[in-house]
Amino acid sequence: MAAAGEGYRRNRRLCLGVTALERLFFKQGEGNEYRVSLRSKGEVDIGAIAKEYGGGGHKNASGCSATGSIAELKRTFREKIVEAIDAAGAK
């Protein structure tokens, strides 16, 4: 099993100046299997994203497993996070 991890911090500010995304981290298992860790602040519900992949946790701290190329998973999770940030800003 590979122990490689790939993570990045990307802050995106809502119109109210609230930091939304704290962390998105991918840890590679075997092949194209990844453990995904998500952290957010404020009203951004990243727990709903983790649940889509059979994971769980809390509104601001969740995790799941996902299979695919790292490039595709990054793109997919970024899109879902942007949607969650936009939804939180609309409340």
Side-chain angles (χ1 to χ4, degrees):
M1 180 193 288
E6 182 162 346
Y8 57 92
R9 288 179 181 257
R10 180 90 36 125
N11 289 326
R12 181 175 170 134
R13 305 238 176 228
L14 296 171
C15 61
L16 299 175
V18 177
T19 301
L21 178 64
E22 180 68 21
R23 182 172 62 123
L24 170 60
F25 186 81
F26 297 89
K27 182 175 182 180
Q28 187 174 16
E30 293 188 32
N32 281 339
E33 295 177 14
Y34 291 87
R35 184 79 187 126
V36 184
S37 176
L38 303 109
R39 301 290 183 269
S40 69
K41 291 184 178 178
E43 295 302 314
V44 179
D45 184 2
I46 48 90
I49 298 169
K51 286 179 186 172
E52 288 183 43
Y53 289 85
H58 304 280
K59 179 175 130 181
N60 296 126
S62 297
C64 62
S65 296
T67 303
S69 71
I70 189 65
E72 182 65 23
L73 291 174
K74 282 182 178 180
R75 184 189 64 75
T76 300
F77 276 87
R78 283 183 196 144
E79 288 173 359
K80 291 183 178 297
I81 290 166
V82 168
E83 289 172 7
I85 292 170
D86 291 344
K91 291 182 180 178

